[in-house]
């Protein structure tokens, strides 16, 4: 017969093996793996969520939208549809998903509305900290979005643009800039992006016209995109060049450097200096008062 110490050691080994097996099964379930009936292999289980569909806490599925930005001919047009849907139900058809942030910054969002507004508020704070530096503000927001324990759970995508750059911000820490100035996000984003790139090569079409026609194509192909468009247009020339009132000092300085203006200024100076002398020469000389007798 075995001693009591041997029996205790054997029971400990059994408990250890059971705990290891339990831990392994829990880890496999967290990784999305399920054990087959034979018990000899593990197979991958398909994820329950999809990129195009967002499941809310209530169980309803929130589908994406379509946001498009087009940059051409000194203009930036940011356009978005107004549909909000839950499952097969259209909740609202004229939601405003495109807006202006401060002076000269356009922003649009796709995804959860509350999450998007939280990110837009953070972006406005970054723009207040770094005025006129959209690139730095977007990079700081992407870093906070990726590393912050609260922000990383937000499910939304932002599309921002100013007079010089266009960026797409995601929760993965991506700050993407298009090479041709055209970018689309949402469920109908690929359709609108393809149509806008084709229309951008047509002469005589400005940015708002291209954006409107591209969104019409996306609305015809994507069931979660309607034709209630909201567009914001930014004129890059007005944002980068000084205003007409501010050109007056520059025009005055330019005119002051011209030869005609210099000659006129010299003549006016000579006339001003000569007029007192002529008045003194033409005026009759005052008679000196006579001194009283007996005085010198």
């Amino acid at each position: 017969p075995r001693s009591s110490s041997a029996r205790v050691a054997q029971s400990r080994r059994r408990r250890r093996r059971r705990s290891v097996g339990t831990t392994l099964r829990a880890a496999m379930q967290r990784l999305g793996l399920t054990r087959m009936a034979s018990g000899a292999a593990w197979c991958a289980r398909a994820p329950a969520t999809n990129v195009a569909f967002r499941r809310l806490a209530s169980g309803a599925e929130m589908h994406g939208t379509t946001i498009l930005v087009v940059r051409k001919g000194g203009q930036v047009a940011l356009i978005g549809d107004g549909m909000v849907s839950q499952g097969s139900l259209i909740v609202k058809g004229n939601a405003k998903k495109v807006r202006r942030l401060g002076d000269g910054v356009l922003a649009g969002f796709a995804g959860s509305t509350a999450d998007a507004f939280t990110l837009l508020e953070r972006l406005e704070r970054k723009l207040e900290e770094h005025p006129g530096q959209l690139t730095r503000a977007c990079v700081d927001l992407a870093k906070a979005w990726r590393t912050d324990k609260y922000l990383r759970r937000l499910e939304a995508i932002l599309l921002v643009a100013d007079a010089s750059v266009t960026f797409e911000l995601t929760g993965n820490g991506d700050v993407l800039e298009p090479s041709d100035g055209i970018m689309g996000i949402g469920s109908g984003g690929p359709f609108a992006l393809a149509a806008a790139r084709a229309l951008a090569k047509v002469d005589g079409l400005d940015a708002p016209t291209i954006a409107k026609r591209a969104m019409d194509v996306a609305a015809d192909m994507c069931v979660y995109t309607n034709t209630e468009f909201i567009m914001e247009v930014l004129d890059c020339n007005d944002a980068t060049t000084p205003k007409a009132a501010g050109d007056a000092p520059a025009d005055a300085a330019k005119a002051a450097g011209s030869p005609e203006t210099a000659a006129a200024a010299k003549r006016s100076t000579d006339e001003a200096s000569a007029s007192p002398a002529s008045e003194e020469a033409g005026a009759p000389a005052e008679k000196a008062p006579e001194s009283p007798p007996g005085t010198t």
Side-chain angles (χ1 to χ4, degrees), residues 44-238:
R45 183 175 57 189
T49 58
N50 195 334
V51 176
F53 305 99
R54 301 181 181 275
R55 184 172 295 277
L56 302 179
S58 60
E61 292 180 349
M62 176 68 71
H63 296 272
T65 181
T66 303
I67 305 294
L68 177 69
V69 60
V70 178
R71 183 185 301 271
K72 183 182 179 182
Q75 287 183 322
V76 179
L78 184 63
I79 187 172
D81 73 314
M83 181 181 291
V84 177
S85 60
Q86 288 183 349
S88 59
L89 178 66
I90 298 177
V91 179
K92 188 177 182 181
N94 58 347
K96 186 177 180 180
K97 308 171 187 177
V98 175
R99 60 190 64 248
R100 288 180 178 264
L101 299 180
D103 187 13
V105 178
L106 305 180
F109 65 88
S112 176
T113 305
D115 296 349
F117 275 106
T118 302
L119 294 171
L120 290 176
E121 291 177 359
R122 291 295 185 101
L123 182 59
E124 285 181 336
R125 295 177 191 173
K126 297 297 182 181
L127 289 173
E128 292 176 358
E129 295 176 4
H130 313 290
Q133 303 181 33
L134 181 61
T135 303
R136 184 173 180 180
C138 291
V139 171
D140 290 348
L141 177 62
K143 290 192 298 184
W145 194 354
R146 178 65 175 173
T147 58
D148 190 84
K149 183 172 64 175
Y150 168 70
L151 293 179
R152 72 176 61 174
R153 299 179 180 273
L154 301 182
E155 296 181 354
I157 302 177
L158 299 184
L159 193 61
V160 296
D162 65 354
S164 57
V165 293
T166 302
F167 293 116
E168 176 187 351
L169 307 179
T170 66
N172 298 327
D174 299 329
V175 182
L176 306 177
E177 182 180 6
S179 58
D180 54 357
I182 303 175
M183 180 170 284
I185 60 175
S187 59
F191 311 121
L193 178 61
R197 285 181 175 175
L199 293 172
K201 299 179 181 179
V202 179
D203 297 334
L205 296 180
D206 56 355
T209 305
I210 294 174
K212 176 66 170 55
R213 294 186 180 181
M215 287 293 292
D216 288 334
V217 174
D220 292 338
M221 301 182 67
C222 180
V223 296
Y224 300 107
T225 302
N226 62 4
T227 56
E228 297 292 334
F229 303 139
I230 297 178
M231 183 187 303
E232 293 285 348
V233 181
L234 180 64
D235 196 345
C236 301
N237 297 326
D238 294 344

